[in-house]
Every structure is written in structure tokens, then in C-alpha cells.
Amino acid sequence: MQTPSAYLTGHIAVPKEWQDIFDPFYYIINQQQEAVTRILSPTFQTILVFNFGAPAYIKPAAEQPLAIDNSLVIGPVKLALEYTIPAQGQMLVANFKQDAFYRFFGRHLQTYTDFLLHPDELQGDHCFADVWQELKALPDMEQRVGSLLEFAAIYIQERDKDSEDIVNNSENDSVINPVKEIADKRGQSERNIQLKYKKYLGYSAKEMSRYQRFKKTLARLQGKSSSTVDWFEMVYEGGYYDQSHLIRDFNHFLGLSPAQYLKLQETVCIACGRS
């Protein structure tokens, strides 16, 4: 996404030993004298947001804006989120991969009742309040990432054996029915595997399959305009039944029609780093 020099965004890679836990960290530095509002495309990841300036705001679909004073856990991000970065604001976002959030907190956010929480509510103590203070005192984003990884190393648990097949198949769209395949392999019921998807990942295999189709279509539209898009080709390549099916997915995930998305795509941030 192209941005003016006074509005800086970027990614900070994680060391190899952390690459099954986090995607690259994402940061925003708004050096402008006015707030900036953007739309985050769904990622199906749970994210941990640190805000180092005046309160930022995040607005889930059909919800009132919520202030982010210091840190907030959001997710899994299944629908688009509108967020506003204040003037002179700075934010750092940790993107948990697959079952990594469960391995960190021992639970996953599965409902909109729990969709937005301060991380200390999950930990049951005030350690994140202290972490936020330490991160804010550091001079740059790379040092903040390094400090956050040192903190995370204390809490990350080994992957449960029950989650291995689920993690390995969670984003493999070449498997037609991953739940059935895992259930047959493990000698368990499909219902039991479905519950484990929710437990470890926070979403179902069916939800992920729909998202993967949408994500690929979104990638095909990058940089295009309405006049250069062959919609029949988009429908066919995306595996949609018809154009109405395609439009329904865009309305579901982004709250926009495909044509509206093409007009506004510079304001829509597409997650990077996911396979």
C-alpha cells in the first residue's frame, strides 16, 4: 500500500525461531497533524495491538468505535475493521499465527462478546501494563519487537499433539474436507475435530475455506480498476457460482461491493506475511 511520507507503515521480520508463532510485526507511525482512518481486511488471525500515542480507535462491523489506550487483543479478525490512528500516533501490531494465540494465552477468542479484550484480562494479572510502559520507553519499533519477543518467550507453550493435524491442514485449500480427513486419521468424530478447530484456531474449517477463496480473489484485484476487470473471469477463477456469489463474499468480509472496493482499495490494508 502506497502511503505519504508523513504516514509510515512497515513490517519487521521475526527471527527464524519465532516464525511459527508470529507473522512479521506491523507498525504505523502517523507524523501528520490529523488522524488517519483505514480499513483492515480480514486476516483470520488474532492480533495484539500496542498504541503509544493518544487513543486510537477501532470499529468492528455494526459496533461503536472502541478506544485503544495502550494495548488490546482483537480477533480472530474475520471481518473488516475500521481503525483510526491519531495525529502523531504510533502503533505496533503482533499477528499470531494459527494456534500461537492459544499457546500464548491458553484460550482463543471465539465470540464477539470476547472479540476485544485488554490482554491483562486474559492473563489475570497486570504484566501487559508493565510491558506497554517498557515498550513505550524504547526509541524505535525494532527494539520494541525485540523486547516483546523476550517477554513472549516466558509464556509460549509447546504445541498440543491434538492440534498438529489441524494446524497443518488449516490453510491447505488442496484438501477438500480437512475435518473428515483428520477425523478418519485420528479415529475421532467430525464433530470432535470441528470443536478442536474452534479451540486451537478460533474458527471453523468451513470459515477458513471461504476466507481463502475470498483472499485469492482480493489478490487478483490488486491494482486493478473497474474498467480493467473481467468479472466473469474473476467469478470462474475464484470458484464462485456466479457474480452474485462473489458480491456476497465482498459484502460479508469487507462490507463493500467489489466495485466499491476497487474505488477505495488504497484505504484498505491487506494483511502481509500469511501463506
Side-chain angles (χ1 to χ4, degrees), residues 29-50:
I29 301 175
N30 180 19
Q31 298 174 336
Q32 300 178 135
Q33 298 304 312
E34 58 187 26
V36 174
T37 297
R38 293 286 186 265
I39 297 171
L40 173 65
S41 175
T43 63
F44 270 61
Q45 292 173 302
T46 297
I47 61 177
L48 173 58
V49 181
F50 291 94

Side-chain angles (χ1 to χ4, degrees), residues 212-242:
Q212 290 280 41
R213 179 180 62 201
F214 170 74
K215 184 176 70 168
K216 290 178 180 179
T217 300
L218 210 60
R220 293 186 185 102
L221 288 174
Q222 291 300 294
K224 294 183 181 294
S225 64
S226 294
S227 61
T228 62
V229 175
D230 184 332
W231 291 111
F232 291 104
E233 182 179 299
M234 285 291 167
V235 168
Y236 174 76
E237 291 185 352
Y240 291 97
Y241 296 121
D242 52 29

Side-chain angles (χ1 to χ4, degrees), residues 148-163:
L148 188 56
L149 291 178
E150 288 182 14
F151 168 75
I154 302 171
Y155 290 93
I156 290 293
Q157 303 297 313
E158 293 295 324
R159 175 170 290 157
D160 287 0
K161 290 183 178 180
D162 281 349
S163 70

Side-chain angles (χ1 to χ4, degrees), residues 9 99 105 111 163-164 209 232:
T9 66
D99 66 337
F105 288 101
T111 69
S163 70
E164 290 178 359
S209 177
F232 291 104

